[in-house]
């Protein structure tokens, strides 16, 4: 069951999935050891940065310019909901999901490749 504070996070609309951006190298490491590696910002902030689908492409554009092998790891919120808090990201003025635990590869339902058109990202097909 999804905690009430998660359900209320986005105007009473609970996303079915949350997403973690990862490079192909990060996903390869994750498949080897069973957990998605942390980035320095995750270690600094004390949680894993996630996005909902509507936030993901802008997040990619802001933080992964020039990356050509970017993947969106799709995670059912229900699987990790007890460890997720939706918190305000001041720079974006929106609530973002933050995972206060490690992210196991077994919790990733689907891996979706993002295409970089040079000036912006767009969704491609699932791998």
């Amino acid at each position: 069951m999804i905690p009430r504070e998660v359900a209320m996070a986005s105007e009473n609309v609970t996303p079915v999935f949350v997403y973690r951006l990862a490079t192909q190298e990060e996903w390869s490491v994750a498949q080897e050891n069973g957990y998605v590696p942390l980035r320095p910002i995750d270690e600094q902030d004390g949680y894993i940065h996630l996005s909902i689908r509507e936030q993901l492409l802008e997040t990619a554009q802001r933080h992964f310019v020039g990356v050509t092998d970017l993947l969106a790891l799709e995670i059912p919120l229900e699987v990790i909901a007890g460890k997720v808090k939706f918190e305000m990201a001041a720079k974006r003025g929106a609530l973002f999901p933050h995972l206060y635990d490690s992210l196991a590869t077994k919790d990733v339902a689907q891996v979706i490749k993002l295409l970089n058109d040079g000036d912006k990202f767009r969704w491609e097909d699932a791998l």
Side-chain angles (χ1 to χ4, degrees):
M1 182 167 175
I2 297 173
R4 186 169 190 271
E5 62 272 12
V6 172
M8 297 177 62
S10 182
E11 299 179 25
N12 293 324
V13 176
T14 304
V16 175
F17 297 102
V18 292
Y19 298 85
R20 167 66 172 191
L21 289 168
T23 63
Q24 182 62 57
E25 180 180 345
E26 289 170 328
W27 182 238
S28 294
V29 169
Q31 289 177 303
E32 288 176 20
N33 68 23
Y35 292 92
V36 177
L38 297 178
R39 292 194 193 98
I41 192 167
D42 300 324
E43 292 175 355
Q44 172 188 315
D45 292 346
Y47 54 80
I48 295 176
H49 291 261
L50 304 172
S51 297
I52 62 171
R53 186 175 180 93
E54 294 79 9
Q55 298 165 329
L56 190 76
L57 295 178
E58 184 179 346
T59 299
Q61 192 60 37
R62 285 175 174 254
H63 301 287
F64 294 89
V65 173
V67 176
T68 58
D69 64 344
L70 197 58
L71 306 171
L73 310 180
E74 186 176 73
I75 306 125
L77 180 57
E78 183 174 71
V79 172
I80 60 171
K83 302 175 268 185
V84 171
K85 293 181 185 178
F86 280 79
E87 298 172 310
M88 183 59 67
K91 290 181 182 178
R92 302 267 297 268
L95 295 172
F96 278 79
H98 297 150
L99 175 60
Y100 285 86
D101 200 356
S102 55
L103 177 57
T105 55
K106 68 177 179 57
D107 294 336
V108 176
Q110 182 171 221
V111 178
I112 304 164
K113 185 175 182 179
L114 297 180
L115 290 179
N116 185 337
D117 289 338
D119 62 339
K120 64 180 180 177
F121 287 91
R122 63 183 169 88
W123 294 94
E124 193 180 46
D125 298 323
L127 298 178

